[in-house]
Amino acid sequence: PLADPSHAAAFARDMEGTPARSVSLVQDGIVRTLLMSRVPRKGLDGTNGHARGRPGSRLEGRVAQLEIEPGKRMSEKKLRKRALRMAASYGRDWVVVVRRLQEPSVRMVGATSFPSDDSVLPPPVGIYKRYADGREEALRGAAFAGVQRFVLRDIAAAGDQVQASFLAPADAGGSYAFLDPTEGMPTRISAPEVLVGELELVPVPGDPKQVPVLPPP
């Protein structure tokens, strides 16, 4: 929680008054421990200073600032070269670059739940087709198809570190019901750029009702 003391997610003590501390959750692909509040669970009976939640509800161990560090990483230049080599095996001279995912708290504003699909990633909102000559073409109207956690096994390489912030749901169940874009628990994540061998994107038609209020200039 104190990895970046200036971030809105930072805290010196959790909501139970326990001093916050760094916890190493996964090493060599193996889950070593969990974030804990004072509520015990099988095999873990002590808090490690990560109790968070909605006031008046049961507090649970929740992420405040998450850092994912690969064992090996490539420079951006080498990562792009390797991506294009992999694309060439499919007969393509371009790769798809996803730079931004949709803010979860605004995905279903005013709705009671997420759509019942098998995707575990928010929709991509910053998608580009990058060619071998360096040109980039913006893509719109796409979504991930059936992304499950096993896609982690298809990560071919890791690159430079990237940071992002988002609002996590206050309840441990993960529901964003009736959230507005400014509600939730501030959360920071730092993770490397990753090169994934295969990840399916499908076209999503726009909603004709959601047209811009003003015409384009």
Side-chain angles (χ1 to χ4, degrees):
L2 290 174
D4 181 357
S6 64
H7 195 275
F11 56 84
R13 291 180 177 271
D14 66 11
M15 296 183 71
E16 293 175 331
T18 305
R21 68 173 187 263
S22 175
V23 177
S24 182
L25 299 175
V26 179
Q27 293 178 332
D28 300 323
I30 300 174
V31 178
R32 305 293 182 176
T33 187
L34 301 173
L35 300 180
M36 291 290 293
S37 66
R38 295 181 184 179
V39 179
R41 60 178 295 153
K42 185 177 181 180
L44 295 171
D45 57 2
T47 177
N48 50 31
H50 285 80
R52 303 181 81 191
R54 190 185 303 276
S57 63
R58 191 181 78 170
L59 304 177
E60 297 195 20
R62 305 287 300 281
V63 167
Q65 300 194 55
L66 176 66
E67 296 192 355
I68 302 171
E69 297 182 355
K72 297 180 180 179
R73 67 173 77 237
M74 291 183 172
S75 66
E76 183 178 359
K77 184 177 181 180
K78 289 183 178 180
L79 194 69
R80 289 178 177 178
K81 285 184 177 180
R82 182 164 181 179
L84 288 169
R85 285 200 304 268
M86 293 173 64
S89 65
Y90 291 87
R92 297 174 177 172
D93 65 343
W94 52 268
V95 295
V96 174
V97 179
V98 177
R99 291 201 176 102
R100 184 179 179 86
L101 303 179
Q102 189 179 64
E103 166 62 50
S105 65
V106 300
R107 181 178 177 188
M108 291 292 289
V109 174
T112 56
S113 63
F114 280 133
S116 57
D117 57 28
D118 57 355
S119 174
V120 295
L121 286 176
V125 294
I127 319 171
Y128 301 86
K129 182 185 286 187
R130 182 177 179 86
Y131 293 88
D133 61 5
R135 292 183 297 114
E136 288 191 352
E137 174 187 337
L139 302 177
R140 294 179 174 84
F144 294 115
V147 179
Q148 295 295 330
R149 292 178 180 86
F150 65 76
V151 78
L152 294 171
R153 296 180 299 183
D154 206 23
I155 292 179
D160 295 334
Q161 207 76 357
V162 179
Q163 295 190 34
S165 300
F166 65 97
L167 295 174
D171 62 285
S175 173
Y176 286 91
F178 302 108
L179 283 183
D180 63 40
T182 60
E183 183 178 351
M185 295 190 304
T187 307
R188 168 183 166 270
I189 182 170
S190 175
E193 296 178 326
V194 291
L195 172 60
V196 181
E198 293 185 8
L199 192 61
E200 186 178 3
L201 285 169
V202 294
V204 176
D207 187 346
K209 298 179 181 178
Q210 297 179 350
V211 296
V213 176
L214 297 175

